[in-house]
Amino acid sequence: MNPFELLKNTQALKEQSEKIKAELAEITAEGSSGGRMVTVTLNGQFEMKSIKLDPICVDNRDVQMLEDLIVAAHNDAMENVQAKIKEKTTSLLGGMDLSQFGL
């Protein structure tokens, strides 16, 4: 293989990687639990951006339930972010299967 062609391909991959990284930074997804009593919003880097609690689920006598609802909503949001990332990267990479890389 021509080393100059390899270098060109490496540069193209780097540019594509930067484009994907920028696109992923703009992704947001919500997850909810308890019939939307708890809603969590994550970005494409899996950082929690917000959490909304229905006042009905804030009962100091049942903190365990609220904790469970938050964990469930966060997990739901993570699944939704992963689905959006897969959708976005599949379209950006022309249908390349990324499952072999754990994505």
Side-chain angles (χ1 to χ4, degrees):
M1 176 178 250
N2 182 344
F4 294 109
E5 188 174 319
L6 182 60
L7 186 60
K8 180 181 171 185
N9 288 342
T10 302
Q11 181 63 31
L13 282 173
K14 183 178 179 186
E15 290 171 5
Q16 188 68 10
S17 175
E18 292 298 319
K19 181 179 179 183
I20 290 171
K21 192 174 181 180
E23 294 268 341
L24 294 180
E26 296 180 18
I27 289 175
T28 61
E30 283 188 353
S32 65
S33 64
R36 298 193 62 81
M37 287 195 308
V38 175
T39 302
V40 171
T41 303
L42 300 179
N43 68 14
Q45 297 167 330
F46 298 98
E47 298 169 331
M48 189 180 302
K49 301 311 279 180
S50 70
I51 183 167
K52 295 180 182 168
L53 304 173
D54 185 322
I56 197 167
C57 70
V58 182
D59 181 353
N60 63 358
R61 295 168 295 174
D62 198 359
V63 173
Q64 180 64 47
M65 179 195 70
L66 180 57
E67 291 170 346
D68 291 344
L69 288 171
I70 291 170
V71 169
H74 184 267
N75 290 339
D76 186 41
M78 283 185 49
E79 289 177 12
N80 293 336
V81 168
Q82 289 172 334
K84 285 186 174 189
I85 287 172
K86 184 175 182 178
E87 180 182 310
K88 181 67 76 176
T89 56
T90 299
S91 67
L92 289 173
L93 296 175
M96 184 187 307
D97 180 20
L98 298 178
S99 61
Q100 61 188 340
F101 302 110
L103 300 173

